[in-house]
Amino acid sequence: MKTMNAIVQPAYGSVEVLRFEEVERPELGDGEVRVRVHAAAVCQGDVHLLTGTPYLVRLVFGLLRPKRRIAGQEMAGTVEEVGPHVTALKPGDEVYGQVPGGAFAEYVCAPADLFAPKPANLTFEQAAAVPISGMTALQGLRDVGQLKPGQKVLINGASGGVGTFAVQIAKALGAEVTAVCSTRHVDKVRSLGADRVIDYTREDFTRGPERYDVMLDLVGNRPVSDCRAVLAPKGVFVSSAGSPGGNWIGPVVWILGVMLAGMFGSQRMTSLMARPRREDLLVLRSLIEAGKVTPVIEQRYALRETAAALSHVAEGHAQGKTVIVV
């Protein structure tokens, strides 16, 4: 039996439930590839799957305990073996992608179509930081927001994992970018290309005279009515604000509020549910290799230190991405 090191989560709870263990390597299925994980990244979704909150997530991921004992979704590594009928990838390929679980380990097996070639100019650590956050920003701005060159966009929560990608992608799409973040992140966000940076500890972005064609809200810390007030008459509000609303219902009330607001007036109010797409990984790869997008990594941890990495992200003030070196 071949084994590997992994972070095992036997129950919902705090980081105290996590265990660094030697476990059996995952079996390779039809249409899957086995990837040697070199790096993984932590996203806010991993925190929700750790705690099992909001409790609605347990209906999908396990009512009493997690269905998947090994968490982790964003990763980069080298293909070790491919299953039957896999033609797009071969052993030795360097890939990155979003998997449904198992990335906090030395090996992961997942469908081949969840992976794309790693950007050639990124390290494995940098590439692991891209998939979920990069695709969320891309889909929110390009697909849902339908952002066009010359339009004005406001990004609330511009210093986080998704926000740092959103600033750069919006600039790559030709938009004029206003970014909202706290004082300690202002210089970093400005360095990413934002035309204007608002420090929310000193200025209320909902009180300014500027009106935006698109607003990407990654925080959910302001009422929808306040956000609507800064939109142009035909503006689009896109919410990808995690789970405002507490442990029980999480984002349900927030999403319903956004939907209700969208029923009135000429502005479009919508919530974003990002989906993993190989095509978008390829788009991000092109942007990265063209020098238009670069991952921002604040902290790196060893696999044994995954609990500390999750704690750092759970605090809610991380700059860019937090990466686990496997």
Side-chain angles (χ1 to χ4, degrees):
M1 179 182 71
K2 293 184 177 181
T3 62
M4 66 177 183
N5 292 320
I7 300 298
V8 175
Q9 181 189 339
Y12 294 117
S14 69
V15 294
E16 301 300 323
V17 306
L18 299 177
R19 300 287 183 266
F20 180 80
E21 295 182 2
E22 185 177 354
V23 301
E24 186 176 355
R25 292 186 191 179
E27 294 184 0
L28 184 66
D30 188 16
E32 292 188 337
V33 295
R34 177 181 289 112
V35 178
R36 173 63 171 93
V37 180
H38 297 305
V42 180
C43 64
Q44 195 63 43
D46 295 319
V47 176
H48 294 309
L49 294 179
L50 170 65
T51 60
T53 57
Y55 297 125
L56 285 175
V57 305
R58 303 189 185 198
L59 297 177
V60 177
F61 297 101
L63 191 59
L64 300 179
R65 63 184 60 85
K67 292 179 182 178
R68 292 183 176 272
R69 297 179 68 241
I70 302 173
Q73 303 171 78
E74 295 179 283
M75 48 75 62
T78 304
V79 175
E80 183 184 74
E81 186 179 358
V82 303
H85 311 301
V86 174
T87 58
L89 297 171
K90 64 184 185 302
D93 286 348
E94 297 181 347
V95 297
Y96 77 133
Q98 175 184 348
V99 297
F104 297 158
E106 291 180 317
Y107 294 88
V108 67
C109 289
D113 60 4
L114 296 180
F115 299 100
K118 178 181 74 67
N121 57 339
L122 294 189
T123 65
F124 285 107
E125 295 170 26
Q126 291 175 309
V130 176
I132 292 179
S133 297
M135 285 191 285
T136 299
L138 180 64
Q139 293 173 24
L141 293 169
R142 181 197 63 189
D143 302 339
V144 182
Q146 298 181 357
L147 187 63
K148 302 293 190 299
Q151 288 188 323
K152 295 180 179 180
V153 60
L154 183 138
I155 299 167
N156 185 26
S159 61
V162 178
T164 50
F165 282 104
V167 170
Q168 298 176 81
I169 290 171
K171 289 300 295 181
L173 292 174
E176 180 182 321
V177 180
T178 297
V180 181
C181 62
S182 65
T183 307
R184 100 174 168 92
H185 302 300
V186 167
D187 290 341
K188 170 56 71 174
V189 171
R190 184 175 288 116
S191 74
L192 297 177
D195 298 284
R196 182 187 177 207
V197 182
I198 297 176
D199 179 351
Y200 68 76
T201 69
R202 301 180 179 180
E203 182 180 351
D204 184 349
F205 72 87
T206 69
R207 302 292 184 182
E210 197 68 66
R211 296 296 177 263
Y212 303 93
D213 300 292
V214 178
M215 175 178 172
L216 179 62
D217 182 21
L218 305 171
V219 186
N221 60 345
R222 301 303 300 266
V224 175
S225 57
D226 287 357
C227 297
R228 171 169 243 167
V230 301
L231 285 178
K234 298 289 186 179
V236 183
F237 173 78
V238 183
S239 173
S240 181
S243 59
N247 287 340
W248 283 98
I249 56 176
V252 173
V253 171
W254 174 260
I255 292 173
L256 289 175
V258 172
M259 292 174 59
L260 182 62
M263 296 173 64
F264 304 95
S266 59
Q267 298 156 326
R268 187 156 59 90
M269 317 291 287
T270 184
S271 294
L272 168 66
M273 294 294 290
R275 296 285 187 269
R277 297 175 186 159
R278 187 175 189 273
E279 295 80 4
D280 287 346
L281 290 173
L282 294 173
V283 171
L284 290 167
R285 180 190 182 210
S286 296
L287 290 172
I288 291 166
E289 291 183 344
K292 296 180 179 180
V293 173
T294 301
V296 175
I297 299 175
E298 181 183 37
Q299 296 286 351
R300 292 171 171 83
Y301 296 83
L303 182 61
R304 286 180 177 271
E305 302 171 317
T306 299
L310 281 159
S311 294
H312 177 66
V313 173
E315 291 173 359
H317 300 289
Q319 182 181 99
K321 299 291 292 186
T322 298
V323 170
I324 295 168
V325 182
V326 181

